């Protein structure tokens, strides 16, 4: 037994293994064994500093905590020296920072202390520029070797919104604090879909984060799966006139344009051109025509943003008194909307390039699951340096990513994982396209 514990202590100190202990904090089971291991089997601070590449005196920030009583705390471990309340620290850029206060950690509570020595875990207040993973020097700039940290892959996502619009600012502040505390969380504003997305490493991870958000900040929120970024485009060129005429006493409104609308190759975007001759549309109104064309692209005849089209202004007419920027913008929007509806519009869906790493024992089950999600196999290779592990690369519609993380884990005893990034837009055909369009129309 002594030999086993000696091996565990040596291999833990060398960074070869990460021991896992089972226990229950609520019942006290395993807590004594954990404390004994932390005292006897884990490496001394100097050995840890050597392993992670710290030379000299430094504070390693490992977590940010936003406590209700003391505010933002940078939780840190001290190496090679001592830190005192109000000490001058040096960040990675060489800038001096004064620590606002020093706290000992006592479960969920804190206690103010005057100083702490090597190996201590402390909370440092009012160091807002320091983030998790940073190192701060205790006696001048810290000398530290570069560390290769694995990237945290946030595959799972939910759309989150405040039920009361008055809470939107509070929600943004709460999400900022939440993601600052947990490096595995990210939040972004999807401008195209008008959604706030919270991303995490798994569905369980997001569920814990959302519960913490509700409990700590008391904001009533609505949570739903993120929308799919469907687009639409057209198959054939169409020429269409749009005329806006309105007379209601005094100056009226008059705008008249003819647009030639044609499809572009995938990924070319949206373009506006003009081939006006003879002043049929005065130059000062041509920018308004482009604005009206782009207004119509925001929502096409199928209910989605329109991509990969070109609109060319080829003709029109104007009135010396009644023509205006608004009139020509309205006429262009009308012409563009009618042209898109007549140009055989069709639906596009985003497709992701997905790389799955899995034990070989689960490969066949995973490939079957990918096929059921309309995935397309690209290649399968062995994972370098890993015996009996495979790398599967597939093209998968974004809709097929929902729930994929949980399904992969259930088929591989929790070991398979994936990375995904946008690859291209692909046409949706048949009944599926009709069902998607119908669903959007019913919710409009």
């Amino acid at each position: 037994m002594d030999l086993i514990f000696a091996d565990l202590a040596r291999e833990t100190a060398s960074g070869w293994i990460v021991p896992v202990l089972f226990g229950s904090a609520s019942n006290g089971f395993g807590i004594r064994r954990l404390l004994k291991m932390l005292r006897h089997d884990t490496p001394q601070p100097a050995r840890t500093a050597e392993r992670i590449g710290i030379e000299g005196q430094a504070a390693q920030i490992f977590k940010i905590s936003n406590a209700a009583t003391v505010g933002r705390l940078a939780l840190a471990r001290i190496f090679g020296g001592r830190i005192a309340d109000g000490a001058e620290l040096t960040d990675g850029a060489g800038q001096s920072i004064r620590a606002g206060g020093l706290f000992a950690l006592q479960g969920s509570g804190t206690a103010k202390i005057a100083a702490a020595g090597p190996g201590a875990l402390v909370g440092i207040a009012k160091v807002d520029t320091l983030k998790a993973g940073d190192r701060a020097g205790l006696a001048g700039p810290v000398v530290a070797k570069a560390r290769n940290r694995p990237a945290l892959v946030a595959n799972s996502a939910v759309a989150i919104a405040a039920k009361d619009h008055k809470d939107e600012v509070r929600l943004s502040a709460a999400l900022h604090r939440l993601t600052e505390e947990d490096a595995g969380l990210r939040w972004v504003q999807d401008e195209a879909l008008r959604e706030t997305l919270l991303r995490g490493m798994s569905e369980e991870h997001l569920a814990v984060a959302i519960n913490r958000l509700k409990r700590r900040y008391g904001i009533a929120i609505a949570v739903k799966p993120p929308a799919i970024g469907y687009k639409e485009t057209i198959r054939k060129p169409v020429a269409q006139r749009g005329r806006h005429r309105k007379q209601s006493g005094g100056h009226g409104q008059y705008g008249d344009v003819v647009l030639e609308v044609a499809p572009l190759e995938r990924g070319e975007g949206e373009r506006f051109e003009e081939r006006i001759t003879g002043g049929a549309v005065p130059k000062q109104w041509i920018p308004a025509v482009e604005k009206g064309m782009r207004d119509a692209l925001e929502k096409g005849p199928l209910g989605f943003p329109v991509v990969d089209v070109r609109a060319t202004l080829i003709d029109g007419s104007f009135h010396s008194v009644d023509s205006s920027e608004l009139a020509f913008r309205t006429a262009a929007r009308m012409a563009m909307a009618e042209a898109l509806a007549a140009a055989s519009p069709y639906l596009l869906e985003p497709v992701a390039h997905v790389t799955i790493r899995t034990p070989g024992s689960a490969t066949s089950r995973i490939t079957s699951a990918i096929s059921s999600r309309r995935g397309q196999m690209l290649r399968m290779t062995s994972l370098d340096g890993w015996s009996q592990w495979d790398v599967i690369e597939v093209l998968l519609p974004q809709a097929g990513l929902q729930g994929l993380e949980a399904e992969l884990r259930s088929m591989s005893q929790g070991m398979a994982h994936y990375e995904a990034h946008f690859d291209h837009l692909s046409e949706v055909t048949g009944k599926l396209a009709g069902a998607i369009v119908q669903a959007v129309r019913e919710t409009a």
Side-chain angles (χ1 to χ4, degrees):
M1 186 62 70
D2 291 340
L3 179 61
I4 292 175
F5 282 118
D7 283 344
L8 286 173
R10 177 175 55 83
E11 292 172 2
T12 301
S14 301
W16 296 346
I17 63 171
V18 178
V20 177
L21 284 78
F22 294 91
S24 170
S26 57
N27 296 316
F29 301 146
I31 304 303
R32 183 179 296 276
R33 181 70 196 97
L34 171 63
L35 294 175
K36 289 181 66 176
M37 182 175 186
L38 291 174
R39 180 179 181 184
H40 299 291
D41 301 336
T42 53
Q44 293 298 312
R47 179 69 185 89
T48 301
E50 179 185 351
R51 179 175 60 81
I52 64 178
I54 292 180
E55 299 176 10
Q57 304 178 32
Q60 171 76 48
I61 312 300
F62 61 87
K63 183 178 175 61
I64 300 298
S65 172
N66 289 283
T69 53
V70 295
R72 184 184 189 273
L73 289 181
L75 307 187
R77 192 178 189 197
I78 309 304
F79 293 101
R82 292 180 62 79
I83 183 173
D85 187 359
E88 288 287 340
L89 307 179
T90 306
D91 64 15
Q95 302 296 317
S96 179
I97 310 169
R98 179 176 292 277
L102 203 61
F103 297 85
L105 310 177
Q106 299 178 344
S108 60
T110 56
K112 204 168 190 310
I113 57 176
L121 299 177
V122 297
I124 309 173
K126 298 184 180 179
V127 285
D128 295 344
T129 59
L130 294 179
K131 305 183 297 296
D134 289 349
R135 293 166 177 174
L138 305 181
V142 60
V143 179
K145 299 176 183 177
R147 302 176 67 194
N148 293 322
R149 296 187 179 91
L152 297 176
V153 180
N155 284 325
S156 299
V158 292
I160 187 169
K163 291 184 178 180
D164 189 338
H165 290 302
K166 296 178 182 178
D167 290 333
E168 288 180 354
V169 174
R170 289 180 58 212
L171 177 61
S172 297
L175 288 173
H176 175 74
R177 292 176 181 172
L178 200 66
T179 53
E180 187 180 44
E181 294 179 51
D182 188 340
L185 290 173
R186 298 202 308 269
W187 75 282
V188 295
Q189 293 279 7
D190 191 319
E191 298 297 338
L193 297 174
R194 295 181 175 86
E195 288 184 335
T196 299
L197 300 182
L198 179 63
R199 296 189 174 276
M201 301 177 67
S202 67
E203 293 176 2
E204 291 81 1
H205 184 204
L206 287 175
V208 171
I210 290 168
N211 285 335
R212 187 186 308 144
L213 181 68
K214 294 177 179 178
R215 182 180 65 254
R216 184 182 298 177
Y217 300 103
I219 303 173
I221 56 175
V223 179
K224 64 178 182 178
I228 307 299
Y230 293 108
K231 311 287 185 185
E232 60 182 272
T233 190
I234 58 176
R235 297 191 189 278
K236 63 182 183 181
V238 171
Q240 180 66 48
R241 178 180 293 275
R243 179 177 291 150
H244 175 63
R245 179 186 296 166
K246 186 176 181 181
Q247 192 69 42
S248 56
H251 287 306
Q253 296 181 28
Y254 182 87
D256 177 33
V257 299
V258 178
L259 294 180
E260 189 178 77
V261 181
L264 295 175
E265 294 295 325
R266 189 79 67 248
E268 289 193 35
E270 302 77 55
R271 294 210 301 262
F272 174 79
E273 300 172 357
E274 59 93 4
R275 295 200 308 268
I276 289 296
T277 59
V281 176
K283 290 189 178 298
Q284 68 265 32
W285 306 135
I286 291 179
V289 176
E290 181 177 359
K291 291 179 182 178
M293 163 260 190
R294 296 192 180 277
D295 289 344
L297 295 181
E298 293 180 1
K299 186 176 182 181
L302 302 181
F304 301 95
V306 183
V307 296
D308 303 330
V309 297
R310 180 185 66 235
T312 305
L313 176 62
I314 60 174
D315 199 4
S317 62
F318 70 101
H319 189 279
S320 58
V321 176
D322 292 342
S323 288
S324 64
E325 178 180 355
L326 176 61
F328 272 100
R329 184 170 182 171
T330 303
R333 184 173 64 248
M334 294 166 56
M336 194 69 189
E338 293 180 22
L340 292 172
S344 299
Y346 63 96
L347 189 64
L348 299 171
E349 67 177 343
V351 176
H353 183 285
V354 182
T355 302
I356 303 170
R357 294 172 176 84
T358 177
S361 58
T363 298
S364 61
R365 294 191 294 273
I366 288 175
T367 54
S368 296
I370 293 298
S371 297
S372 69
R373 292 171 177 263
R374 299 187 293 125
Q376 175 188 347
M377 288 287 298
L378 296 178
R379 64 186 63 88
M380 185 172 65
T381 58
S382 298
L383 181 59
D384 289 342
W386 289 68
S387 176
Q388 298 182 359
W389 275 66
D390 294 326
V391 178
I392 307 169
E393 293 185 54
V394 301
L395 292 176
L396 187 65
Q398 183 182 332
L401 291 174
Q402 294 183 356
L404 179 61
E405 182 82 26
E407 187 172 12
L408 291 181
R409 285 189 282 109
S410 69
M411 291 186 293
S412 63
Q413 296 181 324
M415 292 187 284
H417 60 280
Y418 76 91
E419 298 176 20
H421 62 268
F422 172 78
D423 191 83
H424 66 281
L425 290 170
S426 178
E427 181 179 355
V428 188
T429 59
K431 294 181 179 179
L432 178 60
I436 294 170
V437 172
Q438 182 63 30
V440 169
R441 288 175 176 169
E442 289 176 355
T443 57

